[in-house]
Amino acid sequence: MRQEDKHVKTGIIRRALLAAALTLPLVGFATTASAEGERFVFVSHAPDSDSWWNTIKNALKNAEKDLGVKVEYRNPSTGDIADMARIIEQATASNPTGIISTIADYGVLEGPLKAALAKGIPVLTVNSGTAEESKKIGALMHIGQPEYDAGKGAGERAKEAGVTKFVCVNHYITNTASVERCQGYADALGVKLGSQMLDSGQDPTEVYNRVKAYLTANPDTDGILTLGPNSADPVIKLLRDTSSAQKYKSFITFDLDSDISQAIKDGIMDAAIDQQPYLQGYLPVVLLTQHARYGVMPANNINTGPGFVTKANIELVEKLAGEYR
């Protein structure tokens, strides 16, 4: 695809997304007079090393340009949730037009997010956390993927492949959403989750070694679920190093990166669950802008996933990887 053609195509995609967002069912809210130049703060739990968030960052930049607003992306550099809570408190003190936040740990983040709302700052939650947690906080809505359902969808695929014993490699075990993914997978298989959920940590070497030790101690494991590139990439390397990919009836991950795409094409991995992060970055800015200017907001939460990327559609997805997929 020529560069100029790519720019035309992506511009069309962005205009279509904006138009679609503005035609969602809306409910009215009291509002002050509309004003241009709104400023929003997007707070994620992701460490600086997590490249998956580049797509969301790209969406935020595009939303800034399309809507004439300012969006500040902030995150704890190491992924520490206590630091994230402090970032939310700092964002609240700066009096933005609105705050967009993940709910990586409800117990830690509930207080800071409710404090923002008490100050009159609209809050919209995305990505991590559940719709129920978002509602308990008092956020306007949640945009993301129903994690239990996504895990169950992966489990249904694994069951069709004949999986009976599995390991769910959980690199973020304190995040409720990650546990729901593992639980949904287990329920689809009709087995207890129990010790089949492995707390792998986030360091690639630790993930590699802990999964290797688990598979050695549990040789009857025939299914693998990883919850994102942080856990998927070291497992892919492990299976390549040991030439053992064919031993497993199903290997599915959440999210995408270049290693995962190549693993799908090579037949090491069956599928990746795509929660469409671009929408998780672009839509909340659109909706909070419309809320600030016109007092409107969709009446329901928005599910951006799950969708499955397989050999059948990986070529299309790869063309936009890191920017829109």
Side-chain angles (χ1 to χ4, degrees), residues 21-22 24-31 124 140-141 286-299:
L22 297 182
L24 288 167
L26 302 172
V27 295
F29 292 86
T31 184
L124 194 154
L140 292 172
M141 70 180 306
V286 172
L287 297 177
L288 281 179
T289 299
Q290 302 308 306
H291 181 262
R293 294 177 182 177
Y294 313 120
V296 294
M297 179 64 59

Side-chain angles (χ1 to χ4, degrees), residues 169 200-211 230-231 234-235:
V169 187
S200 68
Q202 297 193 37
D203 179 77
T205 301
E206 284 190 15
V207 175
Y208 184 102
N209 290 332
R210 291 182 186 183
V211 173
N230 284 32
S231 50
V235 175

